[in-house]
Amino acid sequence: MVRLYFNRSGRRPSAQLLDVPIFTVCPACGFVPHEAWRYVGSRYGHVGGFTCGRCGARVTILDGDCRPPVRFVADVPGKPARSFVFEDVYRLNWSDLMRAGALTRTDLIPPGEKGYVEFEAALAAVQGEVARLDLPPVPAPLPEGVSWVPEPLRAWLDALFTLDGPPAG
Ligand SMILES: [Zn+2]
């Protein structure tokens, strides 16, 4: 399940993840369990927490009151928090979606001022274009500091990279 919201109004059009599997990281020891966490925003910036399966640190997950970045803070003094803008890590920000739409000649972002992007349809469009062009699949390199990405975002990143190469800029 991936829910993605878009907003064309305001100063800059944007896309925002509302319900998405994310990876977690322990800032104390760097452990990344290969198990997705269902991120559905926060209550006043508090997303949740877990106990690290490797070092036992208590890790708190925070965000900017349902806005990126998502931050991981360990209850261990002197360890810096780790933070991620998952829209960027997952290449699901506004410019990525526009780019993927241009490459597939598909309006991935529906008309209207605000609404939802059909992620499954977007993924199918990009995968379909990869198949149509008969491109050999290329696994996407992950951004600095990211070691694992859960499905179906891994499939999205790989399909987009196969079709388009690395993100511009
Ligand atoms: Zn740990």
Side-chain angles (χ1 to χ4, degrees):
M1 172 76 173
V2 175
R3 269 166 73 79
L4 185 61
Y5 178 76
F6 73 89
N7 188 345
R8 274 194 180 82
S9 62
R11 279 171 300 163
R12 291 182 62 188
S14 64
Q16 185 188 357
L17 296 166
L18 295 184
D19 186 348
V20 66
I22 62 171
F23 54 83
T24 60
V25 59
C26 169
C29 74
F31 182 55
V32 175
H34 286 196
E35 190 179 311
W37 172 285
R38 187 181 176 203
Y39 172 71
V40 287
S42 65
R43 283 178 73 83
Y44 307 108
H46 187 84
V47 175
F50 62 94
T51 300
C52 175
R54 188 157 83 186
C55 77
R58 185 71 196 157
V59 181
T60 303
I61 311 174
L62 306 166
D63 70 5
D65 202 3
C66 296
R67 302 229 163 242
V70 176
R71 293 192 301 132
F72 298 87
V73 184
D75 65 349
V76 178
K79 297 291 181 182
R82 300 285 303 277
S83 70
F84 302 94
V85 177
F86 281 96
E87 285 81 351
D88 294 340
V89 171
Y90 288 166
R91 297 187 68 183
L92 285 171
N93 60 42
W94 181 269
S95 59
D96 293 320
L97 290 165
M98 293 300 284
R99 176 78 186 143
L103 289 166
T104 56
R105 299 167 306 280
T106 310
D107 288 327
L108 301 183
I109 302 172
E113 194 171 288
K114 301 170 184 181
Y116 299 95
V117 177
E118 290 294 332
F119 172 78
E120 283 75 17
L123 175 59
V126 174
Q127 287 178 330
E129 187 66 6
V130 168
R132 194 183 70 80
L133 297 171
D134 204 15
L135 299 172
V138 186
L142 296 176
E144 182 78 37
V146 177
S147 60
W148 179 77
V149 167
E151 293 293 351
L153 293 313
R154 179 79 233 190
W156 168 258
L157 287 173
D158 288 348
L160 199 51
F161 188 82
T162 298
L163 192 56
D164 193 34

PDB file of all heavy atoms in Angstrom, residues 26 28-31 52 54-57, ligand 1:
ATOM      1  N   CYS A  26      18.926   2.358  13.195  1.00  0.00           N
ATOM      2  CA  CYS A  26      19.314   2.673  14.572  1.00  0.00           C
ATOM      3  C   CYS A  26      20.508   3.626  14.507  1.00  0.00           C
ATOM      4  O   CYS A  26      21.576   3.235  14.037  1.00  0.00           O
ATOM      5  CB  CYS A  26      19.687   1.407  15.324  1.00  0.00           C
ATOM      6  SG  CYS A  26      20.463   1.767  16.925  1.00  0.00           S
ATOM      7  N   ALA A  28      22.351   4.574  16.815  1.00  0.00           N
ATOM      8  CA  ALA A  28      23.412   4.206  17.759  1.00  0.00           C
ATOM      9  C   ALA A  28      24.412   3.238  17.132  1.00  0.00           C
ATOM     10  O   ALA A  28      25.617   3.355  17.349  1.00  0.00           O
ATOM     11  CB  ALA A  28      22.802   3.611  19.028  1.00  0.00           C
ATOM     12  N   CYS A  29      23.934   2.270  16.354  1.00  0.00           N
ATOM     13  CA  CYS A  29      24.849   1.256  15.812  1.00  0.00           C
ATOM     14  C   CYS A  29      24.745   1.120  14.291  1.00  0.00           C
ATOM     15  O   CYS A  29      25.526   0.392  13.689  1.00  0.00           O
ATOM     16  CB  CYS A  29      24.593  -0.104  16.484  1.00  0.00           C
ATOM     17  SG  CYS A  29      23.077  -0.909  15.927  1.00  0.00           S
ATOM     18  N   GLY A  30      23.796   1.788  13.670  1.00  0.00           N
ATOM     19  CA  GLY A  30      23.689   1.747  12.212  1.00  0.00           C
ATOM     20  C   GLY A  30      22.887   0.586  11.663  1.00  0.00           C
ATOM     21  O   GLY A  30      22.763   0.438  10.444  1.00  0.00           O
ATOM     22  N   PHE A  31      22.329  -0.227  12.554  1.00  0.00           N
ATOM     23  CA  PHE A  31      21.581  -1.400  12.100  1.00  0.00           C
ATOM     24  C   PHE A  31      20.332  -1.000  11.319  1.00  0.00           C
ATOM     25  O   PHE A  31      19.579  -0.125  11.737  1.00  0.00           O
ATOM     26  CB  PHE A  31      21.191  -2.249  13.317  1.00  0.00           C
ATOM     27  CG  PHE A  31      20.454  -3.514  12.990  1.00  0.00           C
ATOM     28  CD1 PHE A  31      20.990  -4.438  12.112  1.00  0.00           C
ATOM     29  CD2 PHE A  31      19.228  -3.797  13.592  1.00  0.00           C
ATOM     30  CE1 PHE A  31      20.309  -5.621  11.818  1.00  0.00           C
ATOM     31  CE2 PHE A  31      18.551  -4.967  13.312  1.00  0.00           C
ATOM     32  CZ  PHE A  31      19.088  -5.887  12.428  1.00  0.00           C
ATOM     33  N   CYS A  52      16.229  -1.356  19.129  1.00  0.00           N
ATOM     34  CA  CYS A  52      17.147  -1.886  18.119  1.00  0.00           C
ATOM     35  C   CYS A  52      17.419  -3.366  18.370  1.00  0.00           C
ATOM     36  O   CYS A  52      17.781  -3.760  19.471  1.00  0.00           O
ATOM     37  CB  CYS A  52      18.457  -1.103  18.135  1.00  0.00           C
ATOM     38  SG  CYS A  52      19.690  -1.796  17.009  1.00  0.00           S
ATOM     39  N   ARG A  54      19.831  -5.066  17.328  1.00  0.00           N
ATOM     40  CA  ARG A  54      21.247  -5.408  17.423  1.00  0.00           C
ATOM     41  C   ARG A  54      21.878  -4.880  18.713  1.00  0.00           C
ATOM     42  O   ARG A  54      22.540  -5.620  19.408  1.00  0.00           O
ATOM     43  CB  ARG A  54      22.019  -4.870  16.210  1.00  0.00           C
ATOM     44  CG  ARG A  54      23.457  -5.369  16.176  1.00  0.00           C
ATOM     45  CD  ARG A  54      24.031  -5.331  14.789  1.00  0.00           C
ATOM     46  NE  ARG A  54      24.533  -3.989  14.471  1.00  0.00           N
ATOM     47  CZ  ARG A  54      24.983  -3.643  13.274  1.00  0.00           C
ATOM     48  NH1 ARG A  54      25.015  -4.521  12.290  1.00  0.00           N
ATOM     49  NH2 ARG A  54      25.411  -2.420  13.046  1.00  0.00           N
ATOM     50  N   CYS A  55      21.677  -3.578  19.015  1.00  0.00           N
ATOM     51  CA  CYS A  55      22.381  -3.009  20.183  1.00  0.00           C
ATOM     52  C   CYS A  55      21.461  -2.731  21.354  1.00  0.00           C
ATOM     53  O   CYS A  55      21.932  -2.410  22.443  1.00  0.00           O
ATOM     54  CB  CYS A  55      23.142  -1.755  19.784  1.00  0.00           C
ATOM     55  SG  CYS A  55      22.101  -0.285  19.576  1.00  0.00           S
ATOM     56  N   GLY A  56      20.143  -2.835  21.147  1.00  0.00           N
ATOM     57  CA  GLY A  56      19.217  -2.642  22.256  1.00  0.00           C
ATOM     58  C   GLY A  56      18.862  -1.202  22.548  1.00  0.00           C
ATOM     59  O   GLY A  56      18.113  -0.923  23.484  1.00  0.00           O
ATOM     60  N   ALA A  57      19.390  -0.262  21.761  1.00  0.00           N
ATOM     61  CA  ALA A  57      19.039   1.147  21.989  1.00  0.00           C
ATOM     62  C   ALA A  57      17.557   1.365  21.709  1.00  0.00           C
ATOM     63  O   ALA A  57      16.965   0.688  20.871  1.00  0.00           O
ATOM     64  CB  ALA A  57      19.882   2.053  21.089  1.00  0.00           C
TER      65      ALA A  57
HETATM   66 ZN    ZN B   1      21.385  -0.282  17.374  1.00  0.00          ZN
END
